[in-house]
Amino acid sequence: MIGSSEAHSEADASNAESFYAADRRIGGVFGAMSLTATQVSAGTLIGTIGIHYAVGVSFGLVWLGIWAGWVASLLFVGPHLRARGGITVSEFLSARFDGDNEVVGGTTAALVSVIYLVYTTAQYVAGAVILDAVFGVPRVLGIAVFAAVALSYTLVGGMRLSIYSDAVQVTALLLGVAAAAVVGVAETGGARALIDAAAAIDPTLLSGTSAPALTTGLALSFGFGIAVAPYELSRVYAMRDPETVKRAIPISIAIQAVIAVCILTLGLLARVRFPGLADPDASVVRLALDLFGPAVGLLLLGAVVAAVLSTVDSVLLVTSAAVAHDIYERTLPALGLVPEPTPARVRRVSRIATVGAAVVPAALAVNPGPLGGVVQLIVALYTSVLGSTLFVPVLGGLHWDAATGDGAFAGVVVGFVTATAWQVLTEVWTVDRLGSLTAVDPVVPGVIASAAAFVAVSLADTDRLGSA
């Protein structure tokens, strides 16, 4: 019986590693392309071009925050997590802090799955907007198309096919934004002509400080969030070894730098060509349809589609792993709520969870109903909430031997609650009441509160154990 149990355990681990970690065979180049594809979402191509349209080059400084987050991951998170094995961030926290009860890991997995389920709705909506604008595809059908395509190859191929498709998608994305930027600048008369035209419209478009509150807030939010983002770290777990992770992250930063320059250029091009747009987010569609013609225009729109799919497939796998691997396989049995599941049952739940991760956000995107406000709140907050919830517990778990399970649990919960509450309060209370506090991104109080709770509770636990 002991041999049979061990065989089942090994088979279960092998199946999980195959589906969620591609048997840990991904090399540096494919890993870098997958990290890039996962990072660059529909919001990057639609929202960021729109913000560059509105405020100019200063928004490009947000990328410095993103890359600072990647450097933090390179130095303190990614290679260290890969060296420890496992499949998810929640699993690491559980192995580091939980012992037999799975409270920290289960709580983290539940929060991560909710955040990503709702965040996916924004990706579906962005993709559907493009299909509607270009081909007249109804919104419901457009959402269904994106959900079905992403689900089909994710469900069949798991992490391996997801990463290989990411390589195709990031190639399409690079071709699309680079071709659009080169053609647009050439048609404007060159880089100098574009700069002069932007300055003639509004000199602040060329200022690096035209939107300091927006830029600083988002730079901090993305920086803290990307360093510990589960959907990025899921790619880290699939790489061969820590050294591969160390090679992949700098390559990804270099690819992102090219994309960042192209997106900034497209934002300025849109402002110069279509200075009176009521909705800056529509600028990418106008560029594709009115300026570049069918060939380059379709490349640019294809880049948007690739960004949507590459983000969605990553989120499907992270959410599925949180539900099936972290909660169903580990937390619920540890709490005595379900019997120890068999490998076959875990695989079945994994597939069901993957389907649910695609279908639930699609339903919310089609008809959010009373959850619409919650959806928008989490979409706006997701990087701040991820950073506030995970940054301190993950770094503390990796690098502070005195950290305790109660401290980690406090850090996770307090960070999540603080970031969410901060956003709600700054929206409800007027600027007159809160003054400059409304300009502070929720990740700042979230990380501070998480760190305070994490350290205070861990030290209290250490003192109590020492005196016992």
Side-chain angles (χ1 to χ4, degrees):
M1 292 298 293
I2 294 176
S4 175
S5 175
E6 290 177 349
H8 278 300
S9 178
E10 290 175 1
D12 187 20
S14 178
N15 287 323
E17 285 199 0
S18 179
F19 188 74
Y20 291 120
D23 294 315
R24 308 193 195 280
R25 294 179 179 176
I26 301 303
V29 174
F30 277 101
M33 296 179 80
S34 186
L35 291 175
T36 304
T38 305
Q39 163 66 35
V40 180
S41 67
T44 307
L45 267 72
I46 297 177
T48 304
I49 289 176
I51 296 176
H52 278 306
Y53 177 100
V55 305
V57 302
S58 65
F59 193 70
L61 298 177
V62 170
W63 286 96
L64 298 182
I66 294 173
W67 297 331
W70 279 115
V71 172
S73 181
L74 173 66
L75 297 177
F76 305 114
V77 181
H80 299 277
L81 283 178
R82 177 62 191 86
R84 289 173 177 259
I87 294 173
T88 67
V89 175
S90 302
E91 184 179 4
F92 158 71
L93 292 175
S94 179
R96 172 67 174 83
F97 293 116
D98 276 333
D100 295 327
N101 59 24
E102 299 283 342
V103 172
V104 176
T107 302
T108 303
L111 293 176
V112 165
S113 62
V114 169
I115 291 169
Y116 277 135
L117 275 172
V118 181
Y119 171 65
T120 307
T121 63
Q123 305 302 311
Y124 286 155
V125 170
V129 166
I130 294 298
L131 292 182
D132 182 24
V134 179
F135 303 110
V137 176
R139 172 172 168 163
V140 173
L141 181 57
I143 291 170
V145 166
F146 276 101
V149 171
L151 178 61
S152 61
Y153 66 81
T154 303
L155 195 61
V156 171
M159 180 62 73
R160 180 178 287 102
L161 188 54
S162 176
I163 287 177
Y164 291 152
S165 68
D166 281 348
V168 176
Q169 289 155 3
V170 81
T171 301
L173 192 155
L174 275 170
L175 287 174
V177 296
V182 169
V183 171
V185 169
E187 291 193 2
T188 306
R192 173 51 58 186
L194 175 61
I195 292 171
D196 292 343
I201 294 173
D202 183 354
T204 64
L205 291 174
L206 303 178
S207 169
T209 58
S210 60
L214 175 66
T215 302
T216 303
L218 286 176
L220 288 170
S221 174
F222 282 115
F224 282 112
I226 204 65
V228 291
Y231 69 160
E232 296 289 0
L233 293 175
S234 67
R235 269 55 186 159
V236 166
Y237 283 119
M239 295 184 204
R240 292 191 187 108
D241 49 42
E243 293 304 315
T244 303
V245 179
K246 293 177 183 178
R247 291 194 300 271
I249 291 178
I251 296 172
S252 178
I253 292 174
I255 298 172
Q256 292 174 45
V258 176
I259 294 171
V261 171
C262 292
I263 286 175
L264 186 156
T265 302
L266 292 173
L268 289 180
L269 280 169
R271 184 63 181 269
V272 168
R273 293 302 186 105
F274 318 111
L277 289 180
D279 180 12
D281 283 350
S283 57
V284 66
V285 178
R286 289 294 302 273
L287 281 172
L289 298 181
D290 298 349
L291 177 59
F292 296 128
V296 178
L298 286 176
L299 273 176
L300 180 56
L301 294 176
V304 177
V305 171
V308 173
L309 289 174
S310 61
T311 299
V312 170
D313 64 24
S314 303
V315 174
L316 294 186
L317 286 167
V318 168
T319 309
S320 170
V323 173
H325 180 67
D326 294 325
I327 296 176
Y328 178 72
E329 185 180 6
R330 299 169 62 88
T331 301
L332 296 183
L335 297 176
L337 298 177
V338 300
E340 196 72 30
T342 64
R345 189 175 293 274
V346 172
R347 287 195 298 273
R348 189 178 306 118
V349 171
S350 174
R351 266 53 180 187
I352 293 172
T354 305
V355 173
V359 172
V360 171
L364 289 175
V366 170
N367 184 23
L371 290 177
V374 178
V375 170
Q376 292 306 314
L377 175 64
I378 294 182
V379 168
L381 271 178
Y382 94 98
T383 53
S384 296
V385 169
L386 283 176
S388 300
T389 302
L390 296 177
F391 186 81
V392 171
V394 170
L395 261 71
L398 286 168
H399 302 289
W400 188 30
D401 292 338
T404 66
D406 289 342
F409 180 77
V412 166
V413 174
V414 169
F416 178 87
V417 171
T418 301
T420 305
W422 185 272
Q423 178 70 13
V424 171
L425 288 175
T426 53
E427 287 187 356
V428 172
W429 286 56
T430 64
V431 175
D432 292 336
R433 289 173 177 170
L434 294 179
S436 61
L437 290 179
T438 57
V440 177
D441 190 273
V443 78
V444 176
V447 169
I448 292 173
S450 176
F454 181 73
V455 172
V457 174
S458 292
L459 292 178
D461 285 345
T462 301
D463 290 341
R464 184 172 63 251
L465 291 173
S467 62

